[in-house]
Amino acid sequence: MKKLIRNGQIVTAADTYVGDVLIENGVIAMIGASLQAEDAEIIDATGCYVFPGGVDPHTHLDMPFGGTVTRDDFESGTIAAAYGGTTTIIDFCLTAKGRPLSESVQTWHAKAAGKSAIDYGFHLMVSEINDDVLSELPQIIEQEGITSLKVFMAYKNVLQADDATLFKTLLAAKTHGALVMVHAENGDVIEHLTEVALAGGHTEPIYHALTRPAAAEGEATGRAAYLTELADSQLYVVHVTCAEAAWRIAEARKKGLNVFGETCPQYLVLDQSYLEKPDFEGAKYVWSPPLREKWNQDVLWDLLRNGQLQTIGSDQCSFDFKGQKELGLSDFTKIPNGGPMIEDRFAILYSEGVGKGRISIHQFVDIISTASAKLFGLFPKKGTIAIGSDADIVIFDPKSERVISAETHHMKVDYNAFEGMTVTGEPISVMIRGEFVIRDKQFVGKPGYGQYLRRARFEPLKRGAVNKS
Ligand code: URP
Ligand code: ZN
Ligand code: ZN
């Protein structure tokens, strides 16, 4: 059936105007003023923003990590995402050395199929580069449409890859049109600092932050940017937490390199002092890289505003406080790393960003949706409101206020990292491919509705000659 969204304030990364959106066969068929369609269901959006659905480029659902498995899977995680205004996620498919890449991809398909309530794609972790991996990669990129490859520079002896692997991945990505993503922290330095802390009897959650200093993130980010320059390739740095790392990205971009940066809501509003909460509550805030000193937040906002950081990912990786975070009661290194953010990413960026005058409403749409869709080969199917695009739409009441709480959230996890925070603005209804998944703040979608997205290759920008000045 056709749907006609009437009288909303339509907002894209470029424009805003009051208008109507006609949806037919799951896509946007017409945009205009006073549109008529007798056979359409009418949805009145007066007083609301009509945003493109959020694209979350960084989630970990149903992921084994830190000796346990994330609490939220593709069903609970994507339902929570939909409540929050996110209509597409890109999840990380982990690989193991010596195993075929295709096996990992099939494992991730099995986790998501029949469960995901929203559309989804995958990034692929690269843990080693050898002849088998090099022969499989083109097929994964072309046939599976997995056009982004993730390399971990940290988590020594678990996920960490060496510089040679990162460099060869950057070369392969350039050849085949993929974007390389890095978790940028110096894992070797962190391992040493961790050993020293434990030897000194320091087992509390705050030592997670103290053993992973900002300089270790800045160094790895700068190193990854140099390797990208050497390979003449393209790089996306995930979960940038601090000035030390964000400045390295800005420097690389000034040189004309195709280097991009993502931050996360937690780094914009929470700080290192949360890890000092008593009664082991600091463990709720243990993820990597860690929360930083508060002054870093202003730098991240500035660089989001001036376009040096492009996206915001949730880095959703949820573990219960009871039973899971508690694995590290007597040793901070045993606390599973990660937090529950998928549901509140959209609201926090809107409320703290647009609501507090830090970014414009167009920048909000770009950061929450459009930029990720473009970088990860989904645009213009996803990431905008335009004729022919999927009708992934958020009808958003900018005046509504709510207090974030684990009592009311829809993730399965037993705490919320933003507990007690008041946010202004709320998704009222959310559509994916023209079907309501959230209607009047109630989930009306179904697990399994989400479709797998084969993504286009990365198109590097010709940014001009490297500026050596
Ligand atoms: O602590 C985190 N961020 N957990 C998820 C894995 C990762 O490093 O992104
Ligand atoms: Zn990471
Ligand atoms: Zn992550």
Side-chain angles (χ1 to χ4, degrees):
M1 188 187 183
K2 292 181 193 171
K3 291 190 177 74
L4 182 58
I5 305 176
R6 277 241 166 96
N7 264 326
Q9 180 89 26
I10 299 165
V11 191
T12 69
D15 301 302
T16 175
Y17 48 89
V18 173
D20 302 342
V21 181
L22 180 68
I23 298 162
E24 207 173 335
N25 299 323
V27 298
I28 296 172
M30 215 181 283
I31 303 171
S34 307
L35 294 183
Q36 299 298 327
E38 271 160 28
D39 49 345
E41 178 189 354
I42 309 290
I43 298 128
D44 182 14
T46 307
C48 289
Y49 288 126
V50 176
F51 289 136
V55 177
D56 185 343
H58 188 158
T59 67
H60 305 277
L61 298 173
D62 197 0
M63 184 178 82
F65 198 46
T68 182
V69 179
T70 59
R71 187 74 176 99
D72 286 287
D73 63 6
F74 275 85
E75 184 168 329
S76 64
T78 58
I79 291 172
Y83 270 106
T86 292
T87 52
T88 297
I89 56 166
I90 314 179
D91 200 83
F92 287 90
C93 169
L94 295 189
T95 56
K97 282 186 180 163
R99 303 301 312 167
L101 301 178
S102 56
E103 184 181 271
S104 297
V105 174
Q106 287 324 311
T107 302
W108 247 256
H109 274 302
K111 288 173 189 281
K115 282 192 157 187
S116 188
I118 69 176
D119 288 355
Y120 60 95
F122 298 141
H123 310 288
L124 183 76
M125 174 190 166
V126 174
S127 38
E128 60 185 343
I129 290 281
N130 54 34
D131 288 348
D132 291 341
V133 170
L134 286 174
S135 71
E136 255 199 287
L137 266 183
Q139 179 185 330
I140 299 272
I141 292 169
E142 202 161 308
Q143 283 164 29
E144 287 287 339
I146 298 181
T147 54
S148 38
L149 308 173
K150 170 81 174 285
V151 177
F152 285 91
M153 299 171 80
Y155 303 125
K156 183 111 178 129
N157 301 323
V158 186
L159 302 175
Q160 186 172 329
D162 60 14
D163 286 353
T165 303
L166 173 54
F167 187 59
K168 289 177 197 167
T169 306
L170 285 159
L171 292 171
K174 180 183 162 66
T175 305
H176 300 297
L179 180 58
V180 176
M181 311 170 81
V182 281
H183 172 129
E185 285 186 292
N186 187 319
D188 292 357
V189 167
I190 288 167
E191 186 183 57
H192 176 71
L193 295 177
T194 304
E195 282 167 6
V196 171
L198 289 178
H202 301 300
T203 58
E204 306 84 5
I206 184 62
Y207 281 89
H208 174 76
L210 299 179
T211 54
R212 307 182 85 101
E217 186 184 342
E219 184 280 326
T221 305
R223 181 163 30 111
Y226 271 118
L227 294 178
T228 303
E229 184 173 357
L230 283 168
D232 188 20
S233 188
Q234 45 251 0
L235 181 76
Y236 176 100
V237 184
V238 300
H239 50 41
V240 174
T241 70
C242 59
E244 286 288 351
W247 286 333
R248 300 294 87 78
I249 292 168
E251 282 162 15
R253 292 175 63 77
K254 193 171 174 213
K255 285 198 216 168
L257 302 175
N258 279 291
V259 172
F260 307 93
E262 164 202 280
T263 188
C264 310
Q266 51 274 34
Y267 302 117
L268 293 170
V269 299
L270 308 177
D271 64 72
Q272 188 179 300
S273 67
Y274 282 72
L275 281 91
E276 293 176 297
K277 283 186 182 263
D279 303 324
F280 194 61
E281 293 253 336
K284 292 178 177 174
Y285 305 91
V286 166
W287 47 71
S288 299
L291 291 172
R292 302 299 186 190
E293 288 174 9
K294 197 166 175 56
W295 63 269
N296 287 279
Q297 294 171 2
D298 287 340
V299 178
L300 296 179
W301 280 113
D302 278 350
L303 295 191
L304 274 176
R305 179 171 48 248
N306 68 27
Q308 298 304 322
L309 296 173
Q310 292 71 37
T311 65
I312 185 164
S314 64
D315 196 8
Q316 164 78 16
C317 187
S318 61
F319 299 104
D320 275 339
F321 180 59
K322 291 265 164 242
Q324 291 191 297
K325 291 284 186 183
E326 280 176 350
L327 291 169
L329 262 170
S330 56
D331 175 352
F332 71 91
T333 65
K334 305 261 175 2
I335 302 169
N337 284 204
M341 320 294 179
I342 203 166
E343 189 163 349
D344 301 308
R345 182 187 74 112
F346 198 101
I348 289 174
L349 189 71
Y350 179 82
S351 184
E352 292 288 314
V354 183
K356 296 196 173 165
R358 290 170 166 135
I359 54 172
S360 75
I361 199 153
H362 302 293
Q363 288 174 316
F364 166 74
V365 172
D366 200 37
I367 295 163
I368 208 75
S369 176
T370 316
S372 292
K374 286 181 176 169
L375 284 168
F376 294 108
L378 293 169
F379 188 84
K381 179 179 168 67
K382 306 291 187 191
T384 193
I385 295 183
I387 292 171
S389 294
D390 281 0
D392 294 359
I393 288 177
V394 177
I395 301 178
F396 187 87
D397 178 359
K399 294 195 196 74
S400 164
E401 267 200 1
R402 83 186 163 91
V403 178
I404 296 176
S405 174
E407 302 274 302
T408 47
H409 76 199
H410 302 90
M411 296 175 284
K412 257 198 216 158
V413 67
D414 66 1
Y415 77 101
N416 192 304
F418 308 108
E419 185 74 33
M421 184 175 164
T422 301
V423 282
T424 307
E426 188 175 18
I428 303 299
S429 296
V430 178
M431 283 180 198
I432 301 180
R433 287 175 279 107
E435 298 297 333
F436 281 105
V437 286
I438 303 292
R439 187 159 202 170
D440 299 326
K441 302 192 203 175
Q442 292 306 314
F443 180 69
V444 294
K446 55 175 192 304
Y449 175 70
Q451 287 183 353
Y452 176 67
L453 299 164
R454 284 187 174 73
R455 298 181 287 113
R457 288 163 200 267
F458 177 79
E459 293 283 346
L461 295 174
K462 303 269 182 297
R463 295 176 60 101
V466 168
N467 175 6
K468 303 274 187 194
S469 64

